[in-house]
Amino acid sequence: MSDHPSYEIFIADPVPQDVIELVPNGDERMFSPLSITLVSGDRDAVLVDPPMTIAQTAAVGDWVESTGKNLTHIFVTHGHGDHWFGSAELAKRFGAEVVNTARTIEHMHANLAVREFFWDALFPGQIPATEVVATEVSNNAIELEGHTLKVIEVGHTDTDDTSVLHAPSLDLVVAGDVIYNGVHQFLREAQGDGINAWLRAIDTVASLHPRLIVAGHKNKVLDDDARRTIRETREYLTTAAAVLAERTTALDFFNAMLQRFPTRLNPGALWGGATALYA
Ligand SMILES: [Zn+2]
C-alpha cells in the first residue's frame, strides 16, 4: 500500500461559446472553467472527469504525462460532455480503463446523440471525434495501490444520475457537479423537484465528512475546503428556489441572483439556467 496518495487539479480555463447574443450583463457567452483531478499513489494514478475539447484534452494528456504516473483508470462523474468527451483519447494515450456507473454510461450515450445539435453548435470543430468506451465500475470501487476510491451515486444534481468519487485516505471527495466552488451553478435541468434533489445529494456528500472537495467547476484562486463549498453550494440553491418563487421573468431572476452572488464566475451559466426555468 502506498503511504501517501495525493491529488492535483488541472483547471481548463473558460472557452468562448459560438453564441452571438451577449449575457444580459454584457458578458460574452463562455463555458465555465473545468476541474480535472488526478489522484495519485506512488506509481499509479486515477484521472477524474477528463475535459471537453481537443485542445483541453491534449493539454491534460501532457499534464498527466509530466507527472510520470501510470494512469490506470479514468472515472467520469456524470454524462455531461464537458466531463468526458476527452476520455476515449486519454484512455488510448495511456492504456487506461474508463469506468463509471451504468447510469452515467447511459447518460454519456444521450449526450453523444445530441453532440451535433448541442456541443458542436457551441464549439464548432473543437469537440473530439469520440465514442463511449466506458465500462461499468465493479463494486463501485477503484483500487489505487491498496487504497479504495469509492464511487457514490447521488442522483439528480445539475443533471440526472450523477456520482462522486470518495477517497477516504485523502479525506477527499471529487464531486463533479454536485458541489460548485465560486462558479454560477447550472440550473437548466432544475425544473420540478430538481433543486430539492440536488440538496439531498449535497447531504449525501456532507455525510461522508470530507475535509476537501474538488468541485467540477471551480474558480482556481479558491481552495478546496469542504465545509465552505458545501455551504455555498446549498446557499446558492436555496436562494435560487426563493428567488424563483418571487420573480416572474428570467431577467428578474438573473439580476436578483447576480446581485446576491456577485463574485461567482460565469454569469452566462446563470442566464442559461434562467431562460430554461422561465421557458
Ligand atoms: Zn454537469
Side-chain angles (χ1 to χ4, degrees), residues 138-155:
S138 53
N139 303 318
N140 274 2
I142 300 169
E143 292 301 322
L144 175 66
E145 297 178 6
H147 298 272
T148 301
L149 310 178
K150 297 178 182 170
V151 175
I152 318 267
E153 296 187 64
V154 297

Side-chain angles (χ1 to χ4, degrees), residues 77-83 157-159 162 176-177 180 186 189 217:
T77 56
H78 65 290
H80 279 154
D82 52 311
H83 296 260
T157 57
D158 81 346
T159 190
T162 64
D177 292 352
Y180 276 63
F186 183 72
E189 300 179 37
H217 303 288

Side-chain angles (χ1 to χ4, degrees), residues 12-13 15 31-32 34 36 49-57 81-87 119 122-123 126-128 130:
D13 287 323
V15 286
F31 207 83
S32 292
L34 307 173
I36 298 93
D49 284 357
M52 170 175 69
T53 70
I54 295 166
Q56 289 169 342
T57 302
D82 52 311
H83 296 260
W84 71 269
F85 278 152
S87 60
W119 298 99
L122 285 182
F123 306 104
Q126 295 172 67
I127 303 293
T130 192

Side-chain angles (χ1 to χ4, degrees), residues 252-267:
D252 276 355
F253 174 82
F254 173 82
N255 286 331
M257 288 294 285
L258 202 57
Q259 192 174 29
R260 179 66 187 74
F261 299 100
T263 64
R264 294 241 185 171
L265 300 180
N266 200 11

Side-chain angles (χ1 to χ4, degrees), residues 58-264:
V60 165
D62 292 348
W63 171 67
V64 170
E65 193 172 306
S66 75
T67 66
K69 302 291 180 185
N70 169 43
L71 190 69
T72 60
H73 296 86
I74 295 171
F75 175 73
V76 177
T77 56
H78 65 290
H80 279 154
D82 52 311
H83 296 260
W84 71 269
F85 278 152
S87 60
E89 169 69 24
L90 291 170
K92 196 168 91 183
R93 177 166 172 179
F94 294 100
E97 229 184 305
V98 184
V99 291
N100 40 56
T101 67
R103 289 191 170 107
T104 292
I105 292 173
E106 270 179 49
H107 211 218
M108 290 164 101
H109 284 290
N111 267 257
L112 205 52
V114 300
R115 71 164 280 175
E116 196 184 329
F117 309 103
F118 185 78
W119 298 99
D120 290 329
L122 285 182
F123 306 104
Q126 295 172 67
I127 303 293
T130 192
E131 56 183 327
V132 178
V133 297
T135 55
E136 187 178 349
V137 61
S138 53
N139 303 318
N140 274 2
I142 300 169
E143 292 301 322
L144 175 66
E145 297 178 6
H147 298 272
T148 301
L149 310 178
K150 297 178 182 170
V151 175
I152 318 267
E153 296 187 64
V154 297
H156 181 92
T157 57
D158 81 346
T159 190
D160 291 336
D161 298 327
T162 64
S163 63
V164 304
L165 192 67
H166 181 209
S169 54
L170 272 166
D171 253 346
L172 170 74
V173 169
V174 186
D177 292 352
V178 183
I179 304 293
Y180 276 63
N181 189 355
V183 179
H184 281 286
Q185 294 171 214
F186 183 72
L187 296 173
R188 267 193 94 78
E189 300 179 37
Q191 292 87 349
D193 192 45
I195 288 178
N196 287 325
W198 194 340
L199 287 166
R200 288 193 294 273
I202 295 172
D203 291 344
T204 303
V205 171
S207 73
L208 303 170
H209 301 292
R211 189 170 58 83
L212 300 160
I213 288 179
V214 178
H217 303 288
K218 74 169 279 193
N219 180 336
K220 61 186 172 188
V221 306
L222 298 173
D223 65 22
D224 297 323
D225 183 78
R227 266 194 223 176
R228 177 183 59 78
T229 53
I230 286 172
R231 185 185 68 238
E232 290 177 0
T233 304
R234 279 179 175 146
E235 204 179 353
Y236 192 93
L237 293 173
T238 52
T239 303
V243 173
L244 268 171
E246 71 192 19
R247 303 292 171 134
T248 54
T249 70
L251 187 58
D252 276 355
F253 174 82
F254 173 82
N255 286 331
M257 288 294 285
L258 202 57
Q259 192 174 29
R260 179 66 187 74
F261 299 100
T263 64
R264 294 241 185 171

